[in-house]
Amino acid sequence: MAKRIITISREFGSGGRFIGEETAKKLGISYYDKNMIGQIAEKSGLSPEYILEKAELSPRKGLFAYAFAGRDNTGKSVEDLVYEAQRKIILEIAEKEPCVIIGRNADYILKDRTDVINVFIHGSVEQKTKRICELYHVSEAEAKSMMAEIDKRRMTNYSFYTNQKWGKADNYTLSLDSSQLGYELCEKIIMECMK
Amino acid sequence: MAKRIITISREFGSGGRFIGEETAKKLGISYYDKNMIGQIAEKSGLSPEYILEKAELSPRKGLFAYAFAGRDNTGKSVEDLVYEAQRKIILEIAEKEPCVIIGRNADYILKDRTDVINVFIHGSVEQKTKRICELYHVSEAEAKSMMAEIDKRRMTNYSFYTNQKWGKADNYTLSLDSSQLGYELCEKIIMECMK
């Protein structure tokens, strides 16, 4: 079956979001990332700011925080409500139009579709640190600490909701080292897989 | 730096060996797999049959078997001697000529070179089972059990000698799902990365 949808999971600082955005432009298809937040807010009734913090990252205290999160009388935590709204939006988007979706466990959420390719973008610590320093105007030490925290929280969120290991090659159609290959070649390879 | 060497790690049944061999032919470069065994035998003084069994797979009893393996007076087990001979051969081959090397932890052994791309080929359980049944004339149940055993022994051998996790996207320049992409597209993508 022809592929219509690209999900991009990525290590923080690997340029995965940039690669996804450029690929969407080149293919002339929609691009979903933070622009989903409004829709998730509407569906869940929670504020966009709250969702921005919660939608893709685990609580700062890690996996245990999920277990001990306050729950409503249906047994759902606020994290679960955000996740459920996000899941519905992603399923709707995929049904509606060809697109690139960044992060948010879209690879797992869309696992029953056959028109999706799942991409994981990773990179070397040196290159990722360099990029984070430039993008966020932080020191090398700060960049390394941001990288460690954000990837850990993405990983925890992913394993909590998918029971899969984030970054394991098996989960993705293709995994690319953007530091070794360069962003343009990554885009070219992804587009090759959509033909 | 231009790339000269391709290492291919692969799940059993994923067609990784076939993809590697075809890529070597198309690029007109050497291909190393079982044809290394003679050289390893010569270097280690052990028999080719013995090396064929030991060179890439852990002992059947798994990781503990490494710990409790008999050791000579330098503290080395026979597994270590085979591994050391194999490591030297792979370093020599990489120095000598552009090539494709299948398995044998070559990705890790060549980690200090900048002219190497490391590829991991994986696939769906259904497709891998189908291929194993056809290639080895075994039942589906036998294929699944071969797949589980061989991948486990490759994984154990890899983590024992490299301290890295086999199949983790981060270890490889690119990881490809041969069931989703097809062998020819995998070859094309690998060749694209060598340009």
Side-chain angles (χ1 to χ4, degrees):
Chain A
M1 186 175 185
K3 306 297 179 187
R4 292 168 61 244
I5 295 155
I6 301 166
T7 75
I8 305 228
S9 310
R10 74 291 182 214
E11 289 178 351
F12 186 64
S14 68
R17 172 178 298 171
F18 178 82
I19 291 167
E21 198 167 0
E22 288 301 300
T23 305
K25 273 186 214 159
K26 288 179 185 172
L27 291 171
I29 60 178
S30 298
Y31 168 80
Y32 288 99
D33 183 14
K34 291 206 174 64
N35 53 349
M36 267 189 282
I37 300 284
Q39 295 180 53
I40 302 171
E42 205 174 309
K43 190 148 267 184
S44 65
L46 296 161
S47 80
E49 296 69 30
Y50 188 83
I51 287 159
L52 195 60
E53 167 73 16
K54 297 283 183 187
E56 201 185 1
L57 302 174
S58 72
R60 280 178 200 278
K61 286 175 187 167
L63 200 54
F64 282 112
Y66 279 118
F68 296 116
R71 291 177 190 277
D72 67 12
N73 55 14
T74 67
K76 284 190 175 159
S77 68
V78 187
E79 280 81 7
D80 293 341
L81 296 175
V82 172
Y83 188 80
E84 194 45 35
Q86 176 170 281
R87 200 180 73 84
K88 283 186 185 150
I89 298 288
I90 288 174
L91 289 168
E92 282 174 22
I93 288 172
E95 195 55 40
K96 195 180 69 180
E97 59 180 354
C99 59
V100 172
I101 305 175
I102 305 292
R104 297 163 208 284
N105 307 352
D107 58 314
Y108 181 79
I109 292 168
L110 300 176
K111 68 180 166 14
D112 296 329
R113 297 188 69 99
T114 55
D115 57 355
V116 179
I117 70 161
N118 298 312
V119 181
F120 183 74
I121 306 283
H122 54 94
S124 70
V125 173
E126 299 70 36
Q127 290 290 322
K128 289 186 295 181
T129 306
K130 197 165 164 272
R131 184 172 168 86
I132 298 166
C133 289
E134 286 167 10
L135 276 182
Y136 297 90
H137 308 290
V138 293
S139 70
E140 209 181 295
E142 285 167 321
K144 285 197 167 133
S145 128
M146 284 168 78
M147 196 155 69
E149 186 186 330
I150 292 181
D151 280 347
K152 192 177 168 190
R153 292 175 67 195
R154 282 182 186 163
M155 198 181 300
T156 307
N157 176 290
Y158 186 80
S159 46
F160 184 76
Y161 286 109
T162 71
N163 278 321
Q164 293 184 164
K165 274 215 167 104
W166 189 78
K168 192 167 176 258
D170 258 345
N171 301 337
Y172 312 98
T173 316
L174 67 161
S175 305
L176 303 169
D177 183 331
S178 62
S179 306
Q180 267 194 68
L181 299 173
Y183 297 173
E184 270 195 48
L185 183 52
C186 290
E187 294 156 22
K188 194 171 169 192
I189 292 171
I190 297 168
M191 288 189 288
E192 195 70 51
C193 297
M194 295 294 281
K195 279 182 192 163
Chain B
M1 186 178 187
K3 306 296 179 186
R4 292 168 61 245
I5 296 155
I6 301 166
T7 74
I8 306 228
S9 310
R10 77 289 183 213
E11 289 178 352
F12 186 63
S14 69
R17 173 180 296 171
F18 178 82
I19 291 167
E21 197 166 0
E22 288 301 299
T23 306
K25 274 187 212 158
K26 288 178 182 171
L27 291 171
I29 60 178
S30 297
Y31 168 80
Y32 287 100
D33 182 13
K34 290 206 174 63
N35 54 350
M36 266 189 283
I37 300 284
Q39 294 180 53
I40 301 171
E42 206 176 308
K43 191 149 266 180
S44 65
L46 296 161
S47 82
E49 294 71 28
Y50 188 83
I51 287 159
L52 195 59
E53 167 72 15
K54 299 282 184 187
E56 201 184 2
L57 301 174
S58 72
R60 281 179 199 277
K61 287 176 188 166
L63 201 54
F64 282 113
Y66 280 119
F68 297 117
R71 291 176 191 277
D72 67 9
N73 55 13
T74 67
K76 285 191 174 154
S77 69
V78 187
E79 280 79 8
D80 293 342
L81 297 175
V82 172
Y83 188 80
E84 193 45 35
Q86 175 170 283
R87 200 179 75 83
K88 283 187 185 149
I89 299 288
I90 288 174
L91 290 168
E92 282 174 23
I93 288 172
E95 194 55 40
K96 195 180 70 180
E97 59 180 353
C99 59
V100 173
I101 305 175
I102 305 292
R104 295 161 210 285
N105 307 351
D107 58 314
Y108 181 80
I109 292 168
L110 300 176
K111 69 179 165 15
D112 295 329
R113 297 190 70 102
T114 55
D115 56 357
V116 179
I117 70 160
N118 297 312
V119 181
F120 183 73
I121 306 284
H122 53 94
S124 69
V125 173
E126 299 70 35
Q127 290 289 322
K128 289 186 295 181
T129 305
K130 196 165 164 271
R131 184 173 169 84
I132 297 166
C133 289
E134 286 167 10
L135 275 181
Y136 297 92
H137 310 289
V138 293
S139 71
E140 210 180 296
E142 285 166 322
K144 284 197 168 135
S145 129
M146 283 169 77
M147 197 156 70
E149 186 187 330
I150 293 182
D151 280 348
K152 192 176 169 192
R153 293 175 67 194
R154 281 181 186 162
M155 199 182 297
T156 307
N157 174 290
Y158 187 79
S159 47
F160 184 76
Y161 286 110
T162 71
N163 278 320
Q164 292 184 166
K165 273 214 168 106
W166 188 78
K168 191 166 176 261
D170 257 345
N171 302 336
Y172 312 98
T173 315
L174 66 162
S175 306
L176 304 169
D177 183 331
S178 61
S179 307
Q180 269 195 66
L181 299 172
Y183 297 174
E184 269 194 47
L185 182 52
C186 290
E187 293 155 22
K188 195 171 169 192
I189 292 172
I190 297 169
M191 287 190 289
E192 195 69 53
C193 298
M194 296 293 282
K195 279 181 189 162

